[in-house]
Amino acid sequence: MKIIAHRGDSASHPENTPRSWAAAYANGAYAIEADIRMSKDGSCICAHDPDLARLFGRPERPENLTREVLLALESETGARIAPLEEVLCHAAEGRAVLLDIKDESLPALEAIGNAIVATVPPAARRRIVAGCHTLEAVTFFSGGGEVQILGFIPDGEKGEAFNAAGAGIIRLWERDVTAARVSRLQALGAEVWATAGGVGTIHDTGDTAADNLSAMAAAGIDGVLANDVAMTKIILETLR
């Protein structure tokens, strides 16, 4: 089972930061995940939340502030906002990167595509996984064929539609993981990843434990999005 570091190695480092991404790879992650939004002046930045309250104690939304202002933010715990190019550099160096695209407006999708072309050489672009929440975003990225596409499906019944539209990887919530569903998607040629924890489990999103990972492994999951890369790797090694 591949380990995808949820917002980087976010159990030990501030999420969506170069520190969390570097630690994730060092601890054995197959890929890192970064959340992508837009600034007021049209730049792509790495931020999960729709506002700055949780990490920075500010009420503004990223799309209402300029890139310069956003990149200058830093909390007492070391949280910061990085530009998209900073995470794409990992793909340029041969490592896998999952982009969780929070803003799927056409300007945002075009800006992401432009950043990929400007930052990542053609031979390395298949290391990038465009994580799409809508069929429209899947269709946008499936036209070029340069990046892999993952469908962040809202529920377990949407996997076939996202796969048919061009998503070669389907992300399930842990609550939606069943052996039958995973097998059905894999029979269509899709890889199936799951986000650990979240609604329907006893864990926060990205958190996990041995029993949960064992159940997902038994269901045939190909990859897991988890917060604690080192712990997840240790548990998976005991399941082999």
Side-chain angles (χ1 to χ4, degrees), residues 53-69:
R54 177 173 62 91
L55 295 181
F56 302 101
R58 297 177 55 148
E60 299 102 326
R61 297 174 65 92
E63 65 267 27
N64 294 328
L65 297 175
T66 64
R67 171 190 169 104
E68 181 180 8
V69 170

Side-chain angles (χ1 to χ4, degrees), residues 40-212:
K40 182 178 180 179
D41 46 356
S43 288
C44 297
I45 49 93
C46 301
H48 176 271
D49 296 354
D51 60 48
L52 303 172
R54 177 173 62 91
L55 295 181
F56 302 101
R58 297 177 55 148
E60 299 102 326
R61 297 174 65 92
E63 65 267 27
N64 294 328
L65 297 175
T66 64
R67 171 190 169 104
E68 181 180 8
V69 170
L70 290 166
L71 299 192
L73 295 173
E74 185 167 0
S75 75
E76 293 181 357
T77 61
R80 55 163 289 199
I81 292 178
L84 173 58
E85 310 92 80
E86 203 158 347
V87 71
L88 287 178
C89 285
H90 290 287
E93 295 167 358
R95 294 180 286 268
V97 172
L98 168 60
L99 306 179
D100 184 344
I101 304 170
K102 298 299 188 185
D103 181 349
E104 294 183 331
S105 64
L106 183 57
L109 296 177
E110 290 178 340
I112 292 168
N114 291 337
I116 289 171
V117 170
T119 309
V120 184
R125 290 175 194 163
R126 288 296 291 175
R127 288 282 187 177
I128 299 168
V129 182
C132 303
H133 297 260
T134 64
L135 291 173
E136 291 78 10
V138 173
T139 300
F140 177 89
F141 285 105
S142 64
E146 289 192 303
V147 303
Q148 299 182 71
I149 302 171
L150 175 145
F152 277 109
I153 62 173
D155 63 69
E157 301 305 316
K158 306 293 186 183
E160 286 84 353
F162 272 72
N163 177 253
I169 307 170
I170 301 298
R171 190 295 315 257
L172 300 173
W173 287 103
E174 182 177 342
R175 64 175 180 263
D176 294 325
V177 172
T178 67
R181 178 169 286 137
V182 172
S183 177
R184 187 167 65 248
L185 291 168
Q186 289 171 338
L188 295 173
E191 277 195 47
V192 183
W193 295 359
T195 297
V199 175
T201 76
I202 63 171
H203 299 288
D204 291 336
T205 300
D207 288 343
T208 191
D211 288 347
N212 300 71

